[in-house]
Amino acid sequence: MQMNPTRSPWSRLRPYFAVFDGPLLLILALLLGTGMVTLYSASIGIPGKLEDQTRNIGMAFLVMWLAANVSPQTMQRVAVPAYLVAVALLVAVALFGTVKLGARRWLHVGVDIQPSEFMKIAMPLMLAWFFERRAGVLSWHAFLIAALLLAVPVGLIAKQPDLGTALLVLAAGFYVIFLAGLSWKMLAGLAIAGCASLPVVWSMLHDYQRERVMMLIDPSSDPLGKGFHIIQSTIAVGSGGLLGKGWTHGTQAHLEFIPERTTDFIFAVYSEEFGLAGNLVLMLLYLLLIGRGLMIAGTAPTFFTRLLAGAITMIYFTYAFVNMGMVSGILPVVGVPLPFMSYGGTALLTLGLGAGILMSIQRHRKLVQS
């Protein structure tokens, strides 16, 4: 009788890792590794950050693996319930939410959760489902309904107030609407309407939000107060020079001139220590991430998966662009983390969920083709 050869441990584990997309996983590993190296330096004197981030990365990989195992058909079925639950949670935050630092953004359910983070994925899921149902018969009515579906959660999040997350959710929904076939005439009309509404939007902003915009124009008007963030981060970015000051040798960070140096302003720490050369490498990694996501979107088998993959990929672009822009002083400070680099749990889980959805779309495309 012929005996089967003993299976190696890798052969037994291989089916569990087959759901991962190799190129995307490699890019994410490089970004997370770069983030951990930078966080080590940024968190000197702040105990527990590395340990917490290691746990956060482990949870994000678990979420990514779970999402990669969910078929796009299942995602399509849960799109509407996910959107409705997320909106209900936002309403619950408005009514019963926990107030921290003057903002009502959290809901206490044993632990504090931030429902607005869930909407970053629920929104493109919902709109991709909506346009999939109307593929081939799109009219201005469909785009109007999509705009209303987007406006409700954006308005609830902006009222918390959380302008940064509201802009990210708005961007996530807009990308789906644009990719669904929004005409350039409609886009031009929206741009004109947006510019015309700026005085109204300005009057609706909170005082601290207006001050952030004014500080972008002239941070030197309050160098030790509201302009401190921008001034110190731009000094750090500029002082890195061509090759940087060296790992753990950044003076702006270690002398505690950079606020929130482990979260929103970790790019300032990275720029100071690794310089222009390091920034070019980091931007290359983000370009590879966006390029891989767009490749997955371009080869996705259905309208739903193309819209969803394209929107998630552009969310990554928005995260990186807005964070680097605000740290460099070309955009207002809105509290957007640098994807896969900044310390934090909820945002990293959302980013990992998005990566898992991309991997699921890529995996099921291969299954359809085979």
Side-chain angles (χ1 to χ4, degrees):
M1 185 176 73
Q2 184 178 3
M3 298 182 62
N4 292 328
T6 304
R7 296 179 64 192
S8 67
W10 169 244
S11 65
R12 290 194 295 268
L13 293 174
R14 184 179 299 170
Y16 297 100
F17 290 92
V19 297
F20 290 125
D21 176 69
L24 184 56
L25 186 63
L26 176 60
I27 297 166
L28 295 179
L30 290 172
L31 283 170
L32 289 167
T34 304
M36 289 295 283
V37 168
T38 310
L39 181 62
Y40 175 87
S41 177
S43 63
I44 291 177
I46 310 176
K49 290 290 184 180
L50 279 178
E51 293 80 0
D52 289 348
Q53 188 70 348
T54 301
R55 184 195 65 235
N56 293 336
I57 291 174
M59 293 175 62
F61 263 92
L62 176 61
V63 168
M64 182 173 64
W65 179 79
L66 291 172
N69 278 283
V70 177
S71 69
Q73 292 78 12
T74 302
M75 295 178 195
Q76 205 166 341
R77 286 194 293 270
V78 303
V80 175
Y83 174 82
L84 293 176
V85 169
V87 169
L89 289 174
L90 289 175
V91 173
V93 168
L95 297 176
F96 317 109
T98 303
V99 178
K100 296 181 182 180
L101 301 176
R104 192 185 297 272
R105 303 174 184 173
W106 294 268
L107 194 63
H108 187 74
V109 288
V111 295
D112 285 339
I113 62 171
Q114 193 172 351
S116 57
E117 285 291 331
F118 305 144
M119 190 55 75
K120 294 176 184 177
I121 299 297
M123 190 74 255
L125 268 175
M126 176 64 194
L127 290 182
W129 172 88
F130 174 78
F131 284 115
E132 168 73 16
R133 303 269 293 183
R134 287 156 181 79
V137 289
L138 290 176
S139 64
W140 68 270
H141 300 91
F143 289 106
L144 178 60
I145 295 172
L148 292 174
L149 290 172
L150 176 59
V152 171
V154 169
L156 289 170
I157 296 170
K159 190 174 176 59
Q160 292 179 352
D162 188 354
L163 184 59
T165 303
L167 290 174
L168 288 173
V169 173
L170 178 64
F174 172 77
Y175 291 136
V176 179
I177 295 172
F178 176 75
L179 293 172
L182 184 68
S183 69
W184 289 104
K185 290 182 180 179
M186 287 186 180
L187 193 60
L190 287 174
I192 294 172
C195 292
S197 65
L198 284 178
V200 178
V201 173
W202 180 261
S203 67
M204 295 173 64
L205 292 177
H206 293 264
D207 290 340
Y208 79 92
Q209 292 170 337
R210 292 183 197 146
E211 289 165 354
R212 287 181 177 180
V213 176
M214 297 307 298
M215 286 303 105
L216 175 67
I217 299 172
D218 184 17
S220 61
S221 62
D222 190 8
L224 298 179
K226 298 176 179 64
F228 187 78
H229 287 64
I230 296 177
I231 292 174
Q232 297 304 322
S233 64
T234 52
I235 289 174
V237 172
S239 65
L242 181 61
L243 299 176
K245 297 178 179 177
W247 185 46
T248 73
H249 289 88
T251 54
Q252 291 294 110
H254 298 144
L255 294 177
E256 299 186 0
F257 284 107
I258 301 176
E260 306 297 336
R261 62 184 186 272
T262 62
T263 52
D264 295 347
F265 284 82
I266 196 169
F267 179 63
V269 179
Y270 177 86
S271 297
E272 185 181 21
E273 297 186 355
F274 297 99
L276 177 61
N279 286 344
L280 291 175
V281 172
L282 184 61
M283 284 189 279
L284 175 61
L285 288 175
Y286 282 122
L287 286 174
L288 291 173
L289 173 65
I290 294 163
R292 183 57 184 166
L294 291 178
M295 286 179 63
I296 294 173
T299 58
T302 66
F303 194 46
F304 171 79
T305 52
R306 285 197 296 274
L307 293 178
L308 184 57
I312 289 173
T313 300
M314 295 309 295
I315 290 171
Y316 289 157
F317 164 77
T318 304
Y319 264 97
F321 177 78
V322 171
N323 182 274
M324 291 180 176
M326 74 178 190
V327 171
S328 304
I330 63 174
L331 291 175
V333 177
V334 291
V336 174
L338 189 61
F340 303 106
M341 290 275 291
S342 293
Y343 169 84
T346 308
L348 191 57
L349 289 178
T350 304
L351 294 166
L353 177 59
I357 292 174
L358 288 176
M359 291 180 181
S360 171
I361 293 171
Q362 174 66 5
R363 173 173 173 249
H364 285 85
R365 178 190 70 84
K366 292 179 179 179
L367 292 175
V368 169
Q369 289 179 341
S370 60

